[in-house]
Amino acid sequence: MRMHPTLETARPIDLQDNTGLPEGTFPRGLRPDTWRLLLRAGLRGHFFKPGESLPMGPGDRDVYIIWDGAVQQERFPLGEGRGAPRITRFRGRGQVVGEAKLVTPDDSSVHTRCLTATVAIPCDERSFNALLRRRLEAQRALLRSLEARNRSDELLYATVTRPPLERVSRLVAHLADTTGVPDPRVPHRTVVSGIGQKDIAAALQIAVSTTENALRTLRYHGGIVEARYRQLVVNSVDELRHFVAGL
């Protein structure tokens, strides 16, 4: 599989082990020997700083695999402009982004911005499509990952009839699982960086004040979650899941 040759790796990145990525993601769905075969064919990681956007404009032909870090994607279904509605989603380790280019190569309708220091693997869409045609294993892994992501999105973003506290809690638990980093100083604590209250409100399409109230409730409820500047500290993901289950 020929990968994009122009993006240089900013620092050494170990891509050898795909088994450490989350269940249901595309790389995790490949056998380790298949993944290593892709690495030998030229798969490389590229380092992006917080706030940088992945180059996914009309002239770019890359699909990206998020190897480490987290990104925020924004789509404008009615076109961009002042007050135009937007759809916000968060993607973390193992997720494929820009997959629309596999079907419509000129598609650049999604803005993808790095929330944290992010390692992304650019894959030329023509080479990616060739891989999918040649290897049924890869095709199934991609389709399964996209279906798993769709179902997760429905559970997180489409349950508009559920109470805001439940929706915020469920999304924070998901972010802790997919984009969070364990705090080496405190056992069981997970830190979600780059995401603020306005981002959560935009993703769930609720008021910022409603989001603030939900996070305040989580803080008062045993300090499960602490909201800081563009950072969420989850002191116990297990307690947060238990809290969600009881709502």
Side-chain angles (χ1 to χ4, degrees):
M1 180 181 180
R2 183 183 66 82
M3 291 300 171
H4 199 291
T6 59
L7 293 181
E8 297 181 356
T9 304
R11 59 182 172 83
I13 300 165
D14 183 12
L15 303 178
Q16 296 296 322
D17 184 12
N18 64 319
T19 61
L21 293 173
E23 290 281 356
T25 58
F26 170 68
R28 185 65 183 272
L30 299 175
R31 297 193 306 269
D33 60 322
T34 301
W35 180 253
R36 287 191 290 270
L37 179 65
L38 299 184
L39 295 181
R40 289 195 295 272
L43 210 63
R44 296 290 183 270
H46 183 68
F47 180 78
F48 293 89
K49 298 177 182 179
E52 277 194 88
S53 295
L54 299 187
M56 294 170 56
D60 297 290
R61 298 295 188 187
D62 289 327
V63 178
Y64 288 85
I65 301 171
I66 306 300
W67 184 258
D68 196 18
V71 301
Q72 176 177 300
Q73 293 197 295
E74 291 184 323
R75 185 189 297 274
F76 298 84
L78 300 181
E80 298 184 46
R82 185 178 180 85
R86 69 181 64 189
I87 297 174
T88 301
R89 298 289 183 264
F90 304 110
R91 306 297 181 206
R93 298 174 62 242
Q95 292 290 336
V96 175
V97 297
E99 70 281 355
K101 288 185 179 291
L102 296 173
V103 181
T104 51
D106 293 328
D107 191 329
S108 60
S109 60
V110 180
H111 296 176
T112 304
R113 179 176 61 86
C114 296
L115 295 167
T116 64
T118 299
V119 177
I121 304 171
C123 309
D124 179 79
E125 57 88 9
R126 291 160 294 191
S127 300
F128 206 122
N129 270 321
L131 170 72
L132 297 178
R133 288 192 295 268
R134 290 196 309 266
R135 290 183 172 268
L136 184 59
E137 174 195 358
Q139 186 180 115
R140 286 178 173 171
L142 178 62
L143 292 175
R144 286 169 177 164
S145 71
L146 295 177
E147 176 61 15
R149 194 179 74 184
N150 286 340
R151 294 191 180 196
S152 176
D153 283 355
E154 289 173 354
L155 183 63
L156 293 168
Y157 303 108
T159 53
V160 295
T161 59
R162 303 301 298 169
L165 177 58
E166 178 183 344
R167 299 181 67 207
V168 171
S169 302
R170 195 181 297 278
L171 179 55
V172 172
H174 170 75
L175 292 172
D177 287 335
T178 56
T179 70
V181 176
D183 188 336
R185 300 165 300 179
V186 182
H188 310 298
R189 174 182 285 178
T190 302
V191 179
V192 179
S193 299
I195 298 176
Q197 298 179 23
K198 290 183 178 180
D199 300 314
I200 293 177
L204 297 178
Q205 297 187 346
I206 58 178
V208 174
S209 59
T210 303
T211 302
E212 292 172 346
N213 288 336
L215 292 173
R216 189 178 300 114
T217 299
L218 291 173
R219 184 175 74 247
Y220 290 155
H221 190 85
I224 300 178
V225 176
E226 301 173 29
R228 302 174 182 175
Y229 177 71
R230 300 204 65 79
Q231 189 179 77
L232 299 170
V233 177
V234 182
N235 288 306
S236 174
V237 179
D238 288 338
E239 284 188 32
L240 179 56
R241 291 196 195 97
H242 183 72
F243 181 79
V244 172
L247 290 174

